[in-house]
Every structure is written in structure tokens, then in C-alpha cells.
Amino acid sequence: MVPYRHVVPAGPWAPVRSVWHEAGRVVVYGPAAIWAAAGPQGLPAAELARHAALRTPAARQAFVASRLLVRRTLGVLLGVSWREVRITRTMLGGPVLPDRPGVRIGISHTRQLVTVGVSRCGPLGVDAEPAERPVLPELAGRICTPAELTALAALGGRPDRAEGLLRLWTLKESYVKALGTGLRVPLRDFGFDGFHGPQPHGPDGWSFTTRVVRIGNDRAPYVVSAAAAVASAAPWARTGHGGGVPRVPFLKRASICATDDA
């Protein structure tokens, strides 16, 4: 399982370093407003240009917060200044570290939450959504396999089905982000078996984790999911950073677990 840690610019960073050294991967998250408070100063020229092109204050805040969170986290874990961290993008738009090809990163932000995943054990994708976000029933038809639709229908009341669908959605998004393809792989092309379990697990070579988290004074919960490759047989080993779409396996025995990191 991927460890999760809540951080603000002042820390605490010791727990993040500890799980990084022990597990080789970590997901950190925090409040966008606090992470963006310092402003974009110190970001590279290309990112300053992207920031200036954003049209809304909310988009600019999320951009600054996510860039500062990923750079500060990488600086702490790699032992360098955050200003020295160089991030580029693949042909498909995923973030990569050209100077540290063995370290993989994932970024997600939604409303007042920013989330970053870092791994030295293979690709790691993260995705986050507000736990109370309304999900239309039509979404299930766009992202679910027939078996998943059957499993959702068996969950009982509409709130349970909506919760299960949101968790499934974030898990699938985190997986295609880890593959580096994004939505170029339709979410209906692969599936999860089951929606509950004390220890989330997926197919051979992959680990899946879902957490319900809260940040600062914003007590509204968020669903954060992470997909991590944990074996060389995983699809990422055959794709690299090019433009091809990998063969996506059916995700057997996967389940979803909800815990609360207050």
C-alpha cells in the first residue's frame, strides 16, 4: 500500500522522509490556499508563463500550489533545493524528472486539495475528487465494465452506489495516469473486481489505495486514490515515455478501502 501524509510548507517533513526511505513511495497532500500563499516567485520561466495564461484565480492558485508542493516534496526527498528540481512533460503530457529517471511523480488537484505522489519503485498515479461531488448515473455507463455495473447495482441504496462509483472513478483515473496515457485508454476497457476489502489489492505488479482525507479548516472530505506499479512485469515497463498506448490488463481482485486521515 502507498503511505499518505498531510503536509504544509512548514511540514512535518520527517514522516514523509521516513516512509519514503522505508516504502520507496509516498502520497502527500495539503490545502491549496496555504501552498499557494507564497505566490509563483521562484518557479521556472515556462511555468510562470503557464501561470500567467490561466484565466481564473482558482486555476492560478491550484497551479501554484501543485507546483510548489511537488517541488518542495522532491527537494526534501532528494536532498536538493526545490528551485533546482527540473520537471518536464512527456509527449502525452505526464510530468517527468529528466535528471532523475528512476523517480516517478503524479499530480492531482481539486477544489482546495493538492496531491502529489512520488515513487522510486516505478510509476505512480494519483487522482482526487471531493467526496461529496455529485456523480450522475450516466457516468457509470461511460467508465464501467458490465461486471462493475452489476457490482454497483448490488451496493444497495443510491448513496452507496454513488460513493462506490466515485471511488472507482478515482482509482481508474489514477491507473491511467500511472500508465502515462491519461484518457487515451478508455476507462471501460479495464475493470476492478469488488469494492470493499481491508487490504486494497490489484493485479500482479500493481497496488491500489484509496483514502478519505480532510485538510486544515476545510472539513469537507476528499477521495484520493493512488495506483503504483510494484513489479517489473507491469505494463509501464513495455511502454516508456513515447506516444504509444500500452496493452491494459483486466484488473483482477481489486478492491477499495476507505480510511480517514484527519
Side-chain angles (χ1 to χ4, degrees):
M1 296 175 63
V2 180
Y4 286 56
R5 294 295 183 270
H6 177 276
V7 292
V8 295
W13 290 106
V16 178
R17 292 190 193 95
S18 177
V19 297
W20 167 256
H21 290 304
E22 180 179 347
R25 58 177 64 89
V26 64
V27 170
V28 296
Y29 62 92
I34 292 177
W35 274 100
Q41 295 79 10
L43 293 178
E47 292 188 358
L48 289 174
R50 290 177 62 191
H51 173 264
L54 296 172
R55 296 184 177 183
T56 67
R60 290 192 291 272
Q61 179 191 76
F63 182 85
V64 170
S66 63
R67 267 54 188 179
L68 291 180
L69 175 58
V70 70
R71 291 178 180 281
R72 183 66 180 277
T73 301
L74 288 167
V76 167
L77 297 181
L78 302 179
V80 299
S81 167
W82 67 269
R83 291 180 173 84
E84 298 175 12
V85 175
R86 192 161 68 98
I87 301 173
T88 60
R89 290 189 287 174
T90 68
M91 293 175 61
L92 297 179
V96 293
L97 302 176
D99 302 325
R100 301 274 188 152
V103 177
R104 303 296 294 272
I105 57 176
I107 302 172
S108 181
H109 52 76
T110 180
R111 294 188 183 173
Q112 284 298 309
L113 179 76
V114 288
T115 308
V116 168
V118 186
S119 172
R120 64 171 186 265
C121 308
L124 188 153
V126 293
D127 191 67
E129 292 288 347
E132 299 174 352
R133 174 174 178 168
V135 287
L136 298 176
E138 292 80 6
L139 176 66
R142 296 198 299 269
I143 74 169
C144 293
T145 65
E148 288 169 339
L149 292 173
T150 299
L152 284 171
L155 287 180
R158 183 172 178 178
D160 291 337
R161 290 195 297 272
E163 179 183 358
L165 180 58
L166 183 62
R167 296 176 184 278
L168 182 61
W169 187 18
T170 58
L171 277 170
K172 290 195 170 197
E173 291 268 8
S174 69
Y175 179 59
V176 296
K177 288 180 179 181
L179 290 177
T181 64
L183 294 180
R184 291 169 181 83
V185 172
L187 300 185
R188 289 183 298 179
D189 283 6
F190 59 92
F192 285 81
D193 292 335
F195 294 93
H196 298 283
Q199 297 294 330
H201 60 284
D204 293 340
W206 287 91
S207 172
F208 297 91
T209 310
T210 298
R211 292 286 184 269
V212 176
V213 306
R214 292 177 172 84
I215 51 171
N217 294 326
D218 182 4
R219 301 308 293 172
Y222 295 86
V223 175
V224 181
S225 291
V230 295
S232 59
W236 68 273
R238 300 191 296 272
T239 63
H241 295 321
V245 174
R247 179 176 63 84
V248 181
F250 188 83
L251 306 186
K252 297 178 180 179
R253 304 185 310 281
S255 60
I256 303 173
C257 170
T259 63
D260 193 327
D261 293 347

